[in-house]
Amino acid sequence: MNRTPLIAGNWKMHGARSEAVVLARALTETIGRVSGREVVIAPPFTALDPVGQVIAGSQIRLGAQNVHWEPKGAYTGEISTAMLGEAGCTYVIIGHSERRQLFGEVDETVNRRLHAALRAELVPIVCVGETLAERDADATAAIIERQVASAFAGASSTQIAGCVIAYEPVWAIGTGCTATPGQAQEVHHAIRRQLVGLASDTTAGRVRILYGGSVKAANIDALMAEPDIDGALVGGASLDPAEFTRIVCYEETQG
Ligand code: 13P
């Protein structure tokens, strides 16, 4: 099954508008015409609009870092799918481990956000990942299985086929400590097997599963050589235009 590789940059809480525009301009120059892979950048909410204007007409797509499930209402501090749509977003990151660890995100709210994104035709990038304590306790498989099952509860096979999953082990995020390609492949393969049960063989073959956690120019080639790694969700390294460009232009080797 051919899956178009997807490299996404999660800028997190970096990129005041002027910096964001400079970074987006630099990326438009280097990877704005890239072919054979999809590129998404997810700046902070306040930079979505100006960054969207810079990348308009290029191959780079715009993503948001979170979304609320209600269409509108008294939800101070939240943002709706329609607001992201009018800012030019086509992707949205959901259930990032920083949301889970620091802001009370739970499986049920991840699922609500997923359904809201699907209704609005935004492509969800659903993040799952175990903590170091969970890995040490041999609970990785069970944790990921639970997170995936609850994130996609109530979604049809067709809806699941249009989603992206990002496996981001919490212990690898921002630590410089990447999962080995083998460790990542093992989890990605397990997720794909789970999707066969949740949806179908065809859907499981379509869903792109990204790896995230200290992805750099130096490790992307080896990660992408694994059969079930279909791309990367990049944090820190996505803020450096040369580094992110090299990641997007990873070298294909057969794993
Ligand atoms: P780093 O690439 O900085 O480890 O962050 C990964 C991440 O959380 C992407 O969403």
Side-chain angles (χ1 to χ4, degrees), residues 214-231:
S214 298
V215 172
K216 308 270 182 259
N219 54 34
I220 186 68
D221 299 349
L223 286 162
M224 291 304 293
E226 296 293 338
D228 288 299
I229 301 185
D230 308 313

PDB file of all heavy atoms in Angstrom, residues 214-231:
ATOM      1  N   SER A 214      12.177  13.887  19.332  1.00  0.00           N
ATOM      2  CA  SER A 214      13.578  14.167  19.023  1.00  0.00           C
ATOM      3  C   SER A 214      13.980  13.737  17.604  1.00  0.00           C
ATOM      4  O   SER A 214      15.078  13.220  17.389  1.00  0.00           O
ATOM      5  CB  SER A 214      14.503  13.538  20.065  1.00  0.00           C
ATOM      6  OG  SER A 214      14.245  14.095  21.348  1.00  0.00           O
ATOM      7  N   VAL A 215      13.068  13.942  16.651  1.00  0.00           N
ATOM      8  CA  VAL A 215      13.437  13.703  15.250  1.00  0.00           C
ATOM      9  C   VAL A 215      14.361  14.827  14.803  1.00  0.00           C
ATOM     10  O   VAL A 215      14.099  16.012  15.062  1.00  0.00           O
ATOM     11  CB  VAL A 215      12.190  13.654  14.333  1.00  0.00           C
ATOM     12  CG1 VAL A 215      12.587  13.603  12.870  1.00  0.00           C
ATOM     13  CG2 VAL A 215      11.319  12.460  14.694  1.00  0.00           C
ATOM     14  N   LYS A 216      15.459  14.442  14.167  1.00  0.00           N
ATOM     15  CA  LYS A 216      16.456  15.397  13.685  1.00  0.00           C
ATOM     16  C   LYS A 216      16.896  14.989  12.282  1.00  0.00           C
ATOM     17  O   LYS A 216      16.603  13.879  11.846  1.00  0.00           O
ATOM     18  CB  LYS A 216      17.722  15.344  14.579  1.00  0.00           C
ATOM     19  CG  LYS A 216      17.469  15.477  16.072  1.00  0.00           C
ATOM     20  CD  LYS A 216      17.505  16.937  16.514  1.00  0.00           C
ATOM     21  CE  LYS A 216      17.310  17.071  18.001  1.00  0.00           C
ATOM     22  NZ  LYS A 216      15.970  17.454  18.439  1.00  0.00           N
ATOM     23  N   ALA A 217      17.666  15.885  11.656  1.00  0.00           N
ATOM     24  CA  ALA A 217      18.240  15.543  10.349  1.00  0.00           C
ATOM     25  C   ALA A 217      19.075  14.264  10.463  1.00  0.00           C
ATOM     26  O   ALA A 217      19.111  13.451   9.547  1.00  0.00           O
ATOM     27  CB  ALA A 217      19.102  16.698   9.849  1.00  0.00           C
ATOM     28  N   ALA A 218      19.717  14.086  11.617  1.00  0.00           N
ATOM     29  CA  ALA A 218      20.640  12.961  11.777  1.00  0.00           C
ATOM     30  C   ALA A 218      19.939  11.610  11.940  1.00  0.00           C
ATOM     31  O   ALA A 218      20.572  10.576  11.750  1.00  0.00           O
ATOM     32  CB  ALA A 218      21.552  13.218  12.988  1.00  0.00           C
ATOM     33  N   ASN A 219      18.664  11.593  12.317  1.00  0.00           N
ATOM     34  CA  ASN A 219      18.038  10.277  12.507  1.00  0.00           C
ATOM     35  C   ASN A 219      16.836  10.005  11.585  1.00  0.00           C
ATOM     36  O   ASN A 219      16.285   8.916  11.588  1.00  0.00           O
ATOM     37  CB  ASN A 219      17.643  10.061  13.980  1.00  0.00           C
ATOM     38  CG  ASN A 219      16.753  11.187  14.523  1.00  0.00           C
ATOM     39  OD1 ASN A 219      15.952  11.753  13.797  1.00  0.00           O
ATOM     40  ND2 ASN A 219      16.892  11.490  15.803  1.00  0.00           N
ATOM     41  N   ILE A 220      16.449  10.995  10.787  1.00  0.00           N
ATOM     42  CA  ILE A 220      15.230  10.819   9.985  1.00  0.00           C
ATOM     43  C   ILE A 220      15.381   9.708   8.940  1.00  0.00           C
ATOM     44  O   ILE A 220      14.451   8.936   8.713  1.00  0.00           O
ATOM     45  CB  ILE A 220      14.784  12.161   9.310  1.00  0.00           C
ATOM     46  CG1 ILE A 220      13.436  11.997   8.601  1.00  0.00           C
ATOM     47  CG2 ILE A 220      15.832  12.696   8.345  1.00  0.00           C
ATOM     48  CD1 ILE A 220      12.253  11.786   9.476  1.00  0.00           C
ATOM     49  N   ASP A 221      16.547   9.603   8.310  1.00  0.00           N
ATOM     50  CA  ASP A 221      16.681   8.615   7.228  1.00  0.00           C
ATOM     51  C   ASP A 221      16.444   7.201   7.749  1.00  0.00           C
ATOM     52  O   ASP A 221      15.732   6.409   7.130  1.00  0.00           O
ATOM     53  CB  ASP A 221      18.069   8.700   6.568  1.00  0.00           C
ATOM     54  CG  ASP A 221      18.342  10.061   5.946  1.00  0.00           C
ATOM     55  OD1 ASP A 221      17.398  10.870   5.841  1.00  0.00           O
ATOM     56  OD2 ASP A 221      19.491  10.321   5.563  1.00  0.00           O
ATOM     57  N   ALA A 222      17.034   6.910   8.907  1.00  0.00           N
ATOM     58  CA  ALA A 222      16.893   5.554   9.472  1.00  0.00           C
ATOM     59  C   ALA A 222      15.456   5.299   9.909  1.00  0.00           C
ATOM     60  O   ALA A 222      14.926   4.200   9.728  1.00  0.00           O
ATOM     61  CB  ALA A 222      17.848   5.381  10.650  1.00  0.00           C
ATOM     62  N   LEU A 223      14.813   6.319  10.467  1.00  0.00           N
ATOM     63  CA  LEU A 223      13.418   6.129  10.886  1.00  0.00           C
ATOM     64  C   LEU A 223      12.532   5.856   9.674  1.00  0.00           C
ATOM     65  O   LEU A 223      11.702   4.947   9.679  1.00  0.00           O
ATOM     66  CB  LEU A 223      12.918   7.372  11.634  1.00  0.00           C
ATOM     67  CG  LEU A 223      13.467   7.550  13.058  1.00  0.00           C
ATOM     68  CD1 LEU A 223      13.284   8.998  13.529  1.00  0.00           C
ATOM     69  CD2 LEU A 223      12.810   6.578  14.039  1.00  0.00           C
ATOM     70  N   MET A 224      12.733   6.647   8.614  1.00  0.00           N
ATOM     71  CA  MET A 224      11.869   6.524   7.437  1.00  0.00           C
ATOM     72  C   MET A 224      12.104   5.224   6.666  1.00  0.00           C
ATOM     73  O   MET A 224      11.295   4.860   5.810  1.00  0.00           O
ATOM     74  CB  MET A 224      12.053   7.727   6.504  1.00  0.00           C
ATOM     75  CG  MET A 224      11.530   9.037   7.066  1.00  0.00           C
ATOM     76  SD  MET A 224       9.796   8.999   7.557  1.00  0.00           S
ATOM     77  CE  MET A 224       8.988   8.816   5.980  1.00  0.00           C
ATOM     78  N   ALA A 225      13.203   4.546   6.961  1.00  0.00           N
ATOM     79  CA  ALA A 225      13.465   3.278   6.278  1.00  0.00           C
ATOM     80  C   ALA A 225      12.583   2.154   6.822  1.00  0.00           C
ATOM     81  O   ALA A 225      12.473   1.095   6.214  1.00  0.00           O
ATOM     82  CB  ALA A 225      14.938   2.899   6.420  1.00  0.00           C
ATOM     83  N   GLU A 226      11.937   2.381   7.970  1.00  0.00           N
ATOM     84  CA  GLU A 226      11.080   1.337   8.555  1.00  0.00           C
ATOM     85  C   GLU A 226       9.743   1.284   7.808  1.00  0.00           C
ATOM     86  O   GLU A 226       9.171   2.324   7.486  1.00  0.00           O
ATOM     87  CB  GLU A 226      10.830   1.631  10.042  1.00  0.00           C
ATOM     88  CG  GLU A 226      12.088   1.585  10.906  1.00  0.00           C
ATOM     89  CD  GLU A 226      12.681   0.170  11.006  1.00  0.00           C
ATOM     90  OE1 GLU A 226      11.937  -0.815  10.784  1.00  0.00           O
ATOM     91  OE2 GLU A 226      13.890   0.068  11.287  1.00  0.00           O
ATOM     92  N   PRO A 227       9.229   0.083   7.593  1.00  0.00           N
ATOM     93  CA  PRO A 227       8.053  -0.049   6.720  1.00  0.00           C
ATOM     94  C   PRO A 227       6.786   0.616   7.247  1.00  0.00           C
ATOM     95  O   PRO A 227       5.937   1.027   6.454  1.00  0.00           O
ATOM     96  CB  PRO A 227       7.855  -1.570   6.613  1.00  0.00           C
ATOM     97  CG  PRO A 227       8.645  -2.161   7.728  1.00  0.00           C
ATOM     98  CD  PRO A 227       9.769  -1.226   7.999  1.00  0.00           C
ATOM     99  N   ASP A 228       6.627   0.701   8.574  1.00  0.00           N
ATOM    100  CA  ASP A 228       5.390   1.282   9.099  1.00  0.00           C
ATOM    101  C   ASP A 228       5.559   2.717   9.576  1.00  0.00           C
ATOM    102  O   ASP A 228       4.649   3.278  10.188  1.00  0.00           O
ATOM    103  CB  ASP A 228       4.829   0.407  10.227  1.00  0.00           C
ATOM    104  CG  ASP A 228       4.254  -0.886   9.674  1.00  0.00           C
ATOM    105  OD1 ASP A 228       3.306  -0.809   8.877  1.00  0.00           O
ATOM    106  OD2 ASP A 228       4.800  -1.966   9.988  1.00  0.00           O
ATOM    107  N   ILE A 229       6.701   3.312   9.338  1.00  0.00           N
ATOM    108  CA  ILE A 229       6.894   4.727   9.697  1.00  0.00           C
ATOM    109  C   ILE A 229       6.662   5.554   8.430  1.00  0.00           C
ATOM    110  O   ILE A 229       7.409   5.466   7.459  1.00  0.00           O
ATOM    111  CB  ILE A 229       8.298   4.983  10.303  1.00  0.00           C
ATOM    112  CG1 ILE A 229       8.464   4.106  11.560  1.00  0.00           C
ATOM    113  CG2 ILE A 229       8.484   6.465  10.632  1.00  0.00           C
ATOM    114  CD1 ILE A 229       9.751   4.332  12.335  1.00  0.00           C
ATOM    115  N   ASP A 230       5.589   6.331   8.460  1.00  0.00           N
ATOM    116  CA  ASP A 230       5.150   7.039   7.248  1.00  0.00           C
ATOM    117  C   ASP A 230       5.444   8.526   7.299  1.00  0.00           C
ATOM    118  O   ASP A 230       4.924   9.283   6.473  1.00  0.00           O
ATOM    119  CB  ASP A 230       3.637   6.845   7.064  1.00  0.00           C
ATOM    120  CG  ASP A 230       3.251   5.379   7.104  1.00  0.00           C
ATOM    121  OD1 ASP A 230       3.924   4.586   6.424  1.00  0.00           O
ATOM    122  OD2 ASP A 230       2.298   5.033   7.827  1.00  0.00           O
ATOM    123  N   GLY A 231       6.224   8.944   8.286  1.00  0.00           N
ATOM    124  CA  GLY A 231       6.527  10.358   8.376  1.00  0.00           C
ATOM    125  C   GLY A 231       6.910  10.711   9.792  1.00  0.00           C
ATOM    126  O   GLY A 231       7.137   9.828  10.626  1.00  0.00           O
TER     127      GLY A 231
END
